[in-house]
Structures are given as structure tokens and as C-alpha cells.
């Protein structure tokens, strides 16, 4: 399951630098699959979606920090718990019930984004 930032977010920004996948962005900021990953050019994501990793994507939120679900791995492969949730002072980084993924799939996404 990916993590989502709820509307209780106070825009403190504590979560953004903690994300090992660069999946967290400030509200209204464009994002790219390539940001903070080893992805470049045209790629097929583990879920089957075809994208250009360097192409700017529309912000998910214009008002608060947001997490890109396709890039979120709940920190699997890096940490034992989601780091955004660990540092959030208002506990607004919570599991996204609309994006349920197995640990195996989360680790597959992590390996796909970060070639070792």
C-alpha cells in the first residue's frame, strides 16, 4: 500500500527529504519519475504503465505536500518503516487504502527505480 498525505498537512516539509524514492513533492510542484531514481527515457513501470521518466507530470495537489503512489514503496528496501510517517509532526502520512500493494510488489518497484 502506498502512503498518502492527508489534508491535515501543515506544509512543514519534514517528510520530503526523508523519502528515499523522491516520491514526495511540495504542493503545486511538477514531478518526474526520474527524480531521485535511476529511471531515464521511456520505461514501462512494474504495473505496466508506459511513461517517459523525464517528462514533467502534473502535481497531485496544489495545496499540500503529496506523495506519488507509483514511486512510493513505503520505504521497503531502505527502512523498516515509512520515513515520512516517522517524521511527520501531525501524523498526516497514512496508508492509502486506495493503493494496496504487496510487500513483494513494493520491493519490485524499489529495485526497478534503483538499479544497484
Amino acid at each position: 500500500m502506498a502512503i498518502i498525505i492527508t489534508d491535515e498537512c501543515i506544509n512543514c516539509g519534514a517528510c520530503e527529504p526523508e523519502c528515499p524514492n523522491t516520491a514526495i513533492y511540495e504542493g503545486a510542484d511538477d514531478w518526474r519519475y526520474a527524480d531521485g531514481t535511476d529511471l531515464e527515457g521511456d520505461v514501462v513501470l512494474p504495473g505496466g504503465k508506459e511513461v517517459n521518466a523525464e517528462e514533467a507530470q502534473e502535481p497531485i495537489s496544489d495545496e499540500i505536500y503529496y506523495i506519488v503512489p507509483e514511486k512510493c514503496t513505503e520505504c521497503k528496501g531502505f527502512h523498516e518503516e515509512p520515513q515520512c510517517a516517522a517524521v511527520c509532526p501531525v501524523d498526516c502520512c497514512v496508508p492509502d487504502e486506495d493503493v494496496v500493494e504487496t510487500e513483494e510488489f513494493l520491493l519490485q518497484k524499489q529495485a526497478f527505480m534503483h538499479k544497484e
Side-chain angles (χ1 to χ4, degrees), residues 32 70 75 80 85 104 109:
R32 292 167 180 73
E70 292 94 346
C75 293
E80 291 186 21
E104 179 182 344
K109 283 198 315 187

Side-chain angles (χ1 to χ4, degrees):
M1 181 175 315
I3 304 295
I4 191 169
I5 298 175
T6 67
D7 59 5
E8 285 91 32
C9 177
I10 59 172
N11 284 316
C12 71
C15 57
E16 184 181 23
E18 299 302 319
C19 182
N21 297 309
T22 313
I24 302 175
Y25 295 84
E26 187 172 357
D29 281 358
D30 289 346
W31 62 275
R32 292 167 180 73
Y33 289 96
D35 295 341
T37 72
D38 294 330
L39 301 178
E40 55 187 30
D42 294 326
V43 296
V44 178
L45 302 176
K49 182 178 179 180
E50 295 180 26
V51 299
N52 182 298
E54 291 143 45
E55 187 175 297
Q57 304 293 319
E58 292 289 319
I60 293 173
S61 173
D62 288 333
E63 298 173 12
I64 59 172
Y65 278 80
Y66 64 88
I67 299 174
V68 176
E70 292 94 346
K71 292 179 73 177
C72 179
T73 63
E74 294 182 37
C75 293
K76 298 290 184 195
F78 294 106
H79 305 286
E80 291 186 21
E81 66 179 341
Q83 296 300 287
C84 56
V87 301
C88 182
V90 293
D91 297 325
C92 68
C93 296
V94 298
D96 184 350
E97 301 293 331
D98 293 332
V99 183
V100 178
E101 298 164 325
T102 65
E103 183 171 349
E104 179 182 344
F105 186 73
L106 293 170
L107 288 169
Q108 181 184 359
K109 283 198 315 187
Q110 188 272 344
F112 174 75
M113 290 187 291
H114 303 280
K115 312 289 188 230
E116 294 178 305

